[in-house]
Amino acid sequence: MPPLRPRPHPGLGAAAIGPEEEAAVLDVLRRQELFRYYGNDPQRPPPITATLEKEACERFGMPFALAVSSGTAALEVILAAAGIGPGDEVIVPAWSWISCFTSIVRCGARPVLAEVDGSLCLDPQEIIRLHTPRTRAVLVVHFQGAAADMLAIELLAHRRGLFVIEDCAEAPGATFRGRSVGTWGDAAIYSFQHNKPMTAGEGGLVVTRDIRLYERAVRLHDLGQYRPHHTSITPPREPAFAGGQYRMSELTAAVALAQLRKVDAIRDHCRSLKARIAPRIQALRGLEVRPLADPAGDFGFELYFYTPSPDVSTAFRERLDALNVWCQQRTGTYPQYRRDYVKTGLAATPRLSPFTGLTPWPAPGYRAEDFPKTEDFTSCFVALPLGWRTTLEDADYIASCIEHVHRELKMA
């Protein structure tokens, strides 16, 4: 048995907060300019949020970026910018974060739940099975830093005239075939929430190459307005309409900008940890490292492996936990059909629910028995969080513990 080591929290962007974030925040406070569109000099708007957007465009390879108040806000803004609303359907993985579902409902559209494959990302073939004349978009989630199969998804979706929206909340440094995730579809979102690879506590980004989507997103996030800063990027073409208020503050942008500049270093560290552990797991009979559409492009902050059964998975987690190894079967994500807001089928008021008329409820497509693949995959894995505070020695210890538990469970 390996000598017991302490259990430091792995940490991602929050663990990398340092003097860069502190200096950026103090600069904003000392200038006393907290709002992005105007400050002390009406002719010189504060620069930080605009700089974040500019550097995000450069980093992610998209011509337009818009900073917003959260990743969830980014989803709601881009869905509405694409004109998705009542009567429309959006295909979304059944295994995904809360707002992937609720943002669609809040637009008045119906989320259509899809199976995941072994990568825990959307199974591309589900687009064929679930597409109807009402389908308007596919929301792709690059789950926990690993890219979905964007070649297959793009081909199947665009042949059917569907928007492809990429949720890169957990994958800001990930790539697919050498190209950043978020650049394959029509638009993408990123998140700066606390548990993300880059964080400002809250905050989000919308990125797109579509001028119309960009202008509509700007108007949606700022009460229908299109201010001079955005006019300098591209002149307005759309008529004004009522929008919401999802603006990012200069304080949030200051932390987010410092974190954006660190995300590649965090990713490279996580990849080095995974590279020490994954081959040792792959050598063990009965265990399978999560198969990915592009293993080289994985961010690497969470390593998953499959066991032969839920019972073995539970035993593995319990024994690893006793050895002070961080391991989980749920990482904040649960099948949507097991969430209370899906079980009720409600929106803020009954008239806004896109599930009205589907009786009895839960209807087919919103029950556990409708997703045998997702149920199977998500009951048999062990998740190993890795992060900025995890050392190479920790990685070696984790691998040794997995080998030890494998012997204890007589899987050799």
Side-chain angles (χ1 to χ4, degrees), residues 89 91 126-135 160-162:
E89 295 177 350
I91 296 171
E126 288 287 86
I127 297 171
I128 299 172
R129 181 175 75 89
L130 297 172
H131 176 259
T132 75
R134 295 179 297 278
T135 309
R160 290 162 175 79
L162 307 179

Side-chain angles (χ1 to χ4, degrees), residues 59-60 168-174 180-181 190-191 197-198 263-264 299 301:
R59 171 61 188 81
F60 299 125
C168 309
E170 295 278 8
S180 290
V181 298
Y190 295 88
S191 173
M198 53 186 189
V263 74
D264 287 349
F299 194 103
F301 72 83

Side-chain angles (χ1 to χ4, degrees), residues 348-365:
T349 70
R351 294 185 303 280
L352 291 177
S353 173
F355 309 112
T356 301
L358 295 181
T359 55
W361 186 262

Side-chain angles (χ1 to χ4, degrees), residues 19 22-34 40 251:
E22 182 180 355
V25 169
L26 286 174
D27 172 62
V28 172
L29 291 175
R30 286 167 179 158
R31 284 189 287 104
Q32 299 178 327
E33 294 185 314
L34 309 185
N40 301 321
L251 276 175

Side-chain angles (χ1 to χ4, degrees), residues 258-339:
Q259 289 268 297
L260 177 69
R261 293 168 177 173
K262 293 180 177 181
V263 74
D264 287 349
I266 297 171
R267 178 202 61 200
D268 292 347
H269 178 65
C270 289
R271 285 178 174 177
S272 70
L273 300 170
K274 180 180 175 182
R276 291 177 86 96
I277 302 171
R280 292 172 67 174
I281 297 175
Q282 289 167 330
L284 301 176
R285 191 179 72 175
L287 303 184
E288 180 189 13
V289 173
R290 172 170 63 143
L292 302 179
D294 183 358
D298 183 21
F299 194 103
F301 72 83
E302 197 146 78
L303 199 166
Y304 291 72
F305 65 88
Y306 290 106
T307 73
S309 71
D311 289 343
V312 174
S313 179
T314 299
F316 238 105
R317 288 194 305 276
E318 290 173 349
R319 293 175 187 233
L320 287 175
D321 182 70
L323 293 169
N324 279 349
V325 173
W326 283 90
C327 59
Q328 302 165 293
Q329 199 244 335
R330 294 286 187 262
T331 55
T333 301
Y334 294 82
Q336 295 285 0
Y337 44 81
R338 295 194 184 278
R339 299 277 189 177

Side-chain angles (χ1 to χ4, degrees), residues 37 54 402:
Y37 288 118
K54 179 177 181 293
I402 293 168

Side-chain angles (χ1 to χ4, degrees), residues 193-409:
Q193 189 269 342
H194 178 75
N195 287 329
K196 301 301 185 284
M198 53 186 189
T199 184
E202 279 288 6
L205 283 169
V206 172
V207 299
T208 184
R209 63 173 57 84
D210 187 304
I211 292 175
R212 181 172 181 269
L213 283 180
Y214 172 72
E215 181 182 342
R216 286 177 57 82
V218 170
R219 293 187 182 280
L220 280 156
H221 105 297
D222 188 23
L223 304 168
Q225 302 176 90
Y226 198 76
R227 299 183 196 245
H229 168 73
H230 302 288
T231 298
S232 71
I233 294 171
T234 181
R237 297 169 176 82
E238 292 286 303
F241 56 87
Q245 202 286 71
Y246 299 110
R247 298 181 300 243
M248 180 181 283
S249 77
E250 287 284 281
L251 276 175
T252 299
V255 180
L257 178 58
Q259 289 268 297
L260 177 69
R261 293 168 177 173
K262 293 180 177 181
V263 74
D264 287 349
I266 297 171
R267 178 202 61 200
D268 292 347
H269 178 65
C270 289
R271 285 178 174 177
S272 70
L273 300 170
K274 180 180 175 182
R276 291 177 86 96
I277 302 171
R280 292 172 67 174
I281 297 175
Q282 289 167 330
L284 301 176
R285 191 179 72 175
L287 303 184
E288 180 189 13
V289 173
R290 172 170 63 143
L292 302 179
D294 183 358
D298 183 21
F299 194 103
F301 72 83
E302 197 146 78
L303 199 166
Y304 291 72
F305 65 88
Y306 290 106
T307 73
S309 71
D311 289 343
V312 174
S313 179
T314 299
F316 238 105
R317 288 194 305 276
E318 290 173 349
R319 293 175 187 233
L320 287 175
D321 182 70
L323 293 169
N324 279 349
V325 173
W326 283 90
C327 59
Q328 302 165 293
Q329 199 244 335
R330 294 286 187 262
T331 55
T333 301
Y334 294 82
Q336 295 285 0
Y337 44 81
R338 295 194 184 278
R339 299 277 189 177
D340 287 343
Y341 52 81
V342 178
K343 291 179 181 179
T344 64
L346 296 177
T349 70
R351 294 185 303 280
L352 291 177
S353 173
F355 309 112
T356 301
L358 295 181
T359 55
W361 186 262
Y366 299 92
R367 310 167 303 180
E369 59 264 34
D370 301 320
F371 300 92
K373 289 171 57 179
T374 299
E375 284 289 288
D376 184 44
F377 287 128
T378 60
S379 64
C380 293
F381 71 65
V382 175
L384 301 167
L386 306 171
W388 190 242
R389 293 193 188 99
T390 311
T391 66
L392 295 178
E393 291 76 17
D394 292 332
D396 292 338
Y397 174 73
I398 291 167
S400 295
C401 288
I402 293 168
E403 292 166 343
H404 172 75
V405 172
H406 185 265
R407 289 192 297 271
E408 276 195 334
L409 295 177

Side-chain angles (χ1 to χ4, degrees), residues 114-155:
E115 291 263 40
V116 296
D117 58 23
S119 72
L120 299 174
C121 298
L122 175 71
D123 181 344
Q125 296 304 308
E126 288 287 86
I127 297 171
I128 299 172
R129 181 175 75 89
L130 297 172
H131 176 259
T132 75
R134 295 179 297 278
T135 309
R136 291 286 311 286
V138 178
L139 177 54
V140 183
V141 180
H142 299 298
F143 183 69
Q144 297 295 78
D149 185 351
M150 290 308 300
L151 273 184
I153 289 168
E154 261 213 329
L155 181 65

